[in-house]
C-alpha cells in the first residue's frame, strides 16, 4: 500500500482545514497516512523569525486571515481567530506524539477544532485533557507520557527531521519517495503523487 | 459579464504557469479578464526585503524550484531556471503596460515562455523586441511608448494600487468585489468567486 506522511503544527492556520480534509483524501487514494506533529519554531528561527511570519509581515497576515475565513466557509466548518496568535503549541504537540495511529489523528483534529473552531486555548492542560477523554485516551497517563524525557526528545528529533527533509512550512505532505508538498492547497497533489498518479 | 483582474510580475516564478493557464480558465467561467502587470519590488521593500524571498530564505527557494519543476512537468510545459534570478523585470512590465487587451496578454505569455521555458534574458531590449514582433506589435513604437514618462508613471501607480488593494504576492486574482486570491493554486478559486460560484 502506498504511504505518505502528514506533517503538521498545531499553531499553523492552514493546518486546520488540512487536518480535517487529509484523512478522507488519503483513504480515497488508497494511501496509508502517518500523522507527524512537529514544531515550526526551529524552522522559522533558522530563517531569523522569532514570531509567525503572519505577525512579522502584517499585509501577509491580513491576507491569510481573510483567505482562511473563505476556506473554512467553503468547507462549511466554523472559524474563530485564536487569541493570542500563534497559540503556544508545544504541549499539544508532545501529547499528539505520545499517542499512536488513529487516536493521534483523532486527537489532532480535535485540537484544531478547539483552537480554530471554538477559540479555546490549546496550551491549557485541562482543555487538552478533555480532548483526550473525548478521543477515548486516558488524559492523565497520556499527559504524563507526553512530558516524559523520552517523548520530549522524540519531538525534538521530529523537528530536526522536518528541517532535514526540506519541510519549510505546515501542513506538508511527504510522499514515500521523499517529495515534499507544502500547503493545504497541495494535499491532493501530494497524495496523488504518493499514490503513483503523477 | 463577470470580471476579474490578473495581477502578475515577470520575475515571479509561479506567475509563469499561471499566465499560461489563466486565459482558458477565465473563458471557461465566462469571466472577462484584465491583465495587470506590476512590480513586486515595492511590496517586498515594504516588508524589508531587498531581494526575492526565495533567495533570502534558501530552504524556501529550494522547495519552490522543485515545486515549480513538478508543476511545469504536470502541465507539460518546458522549464528552465532563469540565471540570474530574479530577472530584472522593469522594462518588460513597462512594455506590457504599454500594450492593450489581447496583445498585452499574448506578449506577457511570450515573456514568461522566453524567461522560464527558454532561459532568455527578459531585460534585454532585443529579446523583448522580437517577442513584440511575434505578437504582431510594432517593436520600436511600443518600446518608445513603454519608456515614455506617462507610461513609467502609470506603472508606478499600478504598483501603488496593488499594495492598496492588499496584494502580497504574484500571481493574484482580484474579483470584481475586491476579493484577492494569491497564487497559481488559487486561480480557479478566484475565478469561481468572480463568476459568482462560491
Amino acid at each position: 500500500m502506498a504511504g505518505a506522511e502528514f506533517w503538521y503544527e498545531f499553531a499553523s492556520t492552514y493546518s486546520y482545514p488540512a487536518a480535517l480534509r487529509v484523512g478522507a483524501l488519503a483513504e480515497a487514494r488508497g494511501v496509508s497516512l502517518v500523522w507527524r506533529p512537529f514544531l515550526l519554531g526551529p524552522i522559522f528561527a533558522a530563517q531569523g523569525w522569532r514570531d509567525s511570519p503572519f505577525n512579522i509581515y502584517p499585509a501577509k497576515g491580513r491576507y491569510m486571515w481573510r483567505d482562511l475565513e473563505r476556506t473554512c466557509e467553503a468547507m462549511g466548518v466554523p472559524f474563530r481567530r485564536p487569541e493570542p496568535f500563534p497559540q503556544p503549541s508545544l504541549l499539544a504537540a508532545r501529547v499528539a506524539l505520545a499517542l499512536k495511529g488513529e487516536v493521534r489523528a483523532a486527537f489532532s483534529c480535535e485540537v484544531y477544532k478547539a483552537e480554530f473552531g471554538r477559540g479555546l486555548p490549546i496550551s491549557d492542560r485541562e482543555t487538552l485533557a478533555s480532548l483526550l477523554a473525548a478521543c477515548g485516551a486516558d488524559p492523565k497517563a497520556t499527559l504524563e507520557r507526553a512530558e516524559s524525557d523520552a517523548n520530549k526528545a522524540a519531538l525534538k528529533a521530529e523537528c530536526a527531521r522536518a528541517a532535514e527533509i526540506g519541510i519549510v512550512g505546515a501542513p506538508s505532505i511527504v510522499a514515500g519517495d521523499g517529495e515534499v508538498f507544502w500547503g493545504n492547497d497541495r494535499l491532493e497533489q501530494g497524495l496523488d503523487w504518493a499514490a503513483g498518479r503523477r
Side-chain angles (χ1 to χ4, degrees), chain A:
Chain A
M1 187 178 190
E5 298 172 341
F6 175 61
W7 288 77
Y8 57 103
E9 141 77 86
F10 286 116
S12 150
T13 54
Y14 288 109
S15 294
Y16 166 47
L20 301 191
R21 300 192 317 119
V22 72
L25 293 174
E27 202 176 308
R29 287 161 179 80
V31 171
S32 157
L33 200 64
V34 177
W35 288 59
R36 296 189 74 160
F38 75 116
L39 301 173
L40 277 174
I43 285 173
F44 285 173
Q47 303 187 345
W49 298 334
R50 301 275 172 250
D51 191 0
S52 164
F54 295 127
N55 289 341
I56 298 173
Y57 307 112
K60 282 192 129 171
R62 276 191 297 276
Y63 173 79
M64 178 278 292
W65 289 118
R66 174 62 186 139
D67 189 49
L68 186 62
E69 191 180 31
R70 282 189 311 231
T71 300
C72 292
E73 199 177 295
M75 285 175 67
V77 300
F79 169 67
R80 277 183 62 175
R81 184 168 164 169
E83 291 290 348
F85 173 80
Q87 287 276 302
S89 57
L90 176 62
L91 183 57
R94 285 177 175 164
V95 172
L97 195 64
L99 298 167
K100 287 201 193 330
E102 287 184 16
V103 184
R104 181 190 286 175
F107 169 77
S108 299
C109 288
E110 290 306 314
V111 171
Y112 282 117
K113 289 193 272 184
E115 181 184 12
F116 292 102
R118 293 191 281 152
L120 297 180
I122 63 158
S123 58
D124 178 63
R125 299 178 73 83
E126 296 201 2
T127 301
L128 295 177
S130 78
L131 299 176
L132 281 166
C135 297
D138 178 328
K140 190 163 174 288
T142 308
L143 278 161
E144 264 177 36
R145 218 164 51 241
E147 293 183 301
S148 68
D149 287 345
N151 193 63
K152 288 178 182 175
L155 182 60
K156 270 195 192 158
E158 287 293 277
C159 297
R161 176 78 187 141
E164 196 181 301
I165 61 181
I167 285 179
V168 292
S172 288
I173 292 288
V174 181
D177 61 357
E179 290 282 334
V180 177
F181 298 82
W182 172 31
N184 177 45
D185 290 324
R186 298 303 179 83
L187 299 183
E188 286 86 347
Q189 192 190 353
L191 293 168
D192 280 346
W193 186 285
R197 305 186 201 160
R198 298 198 186 176

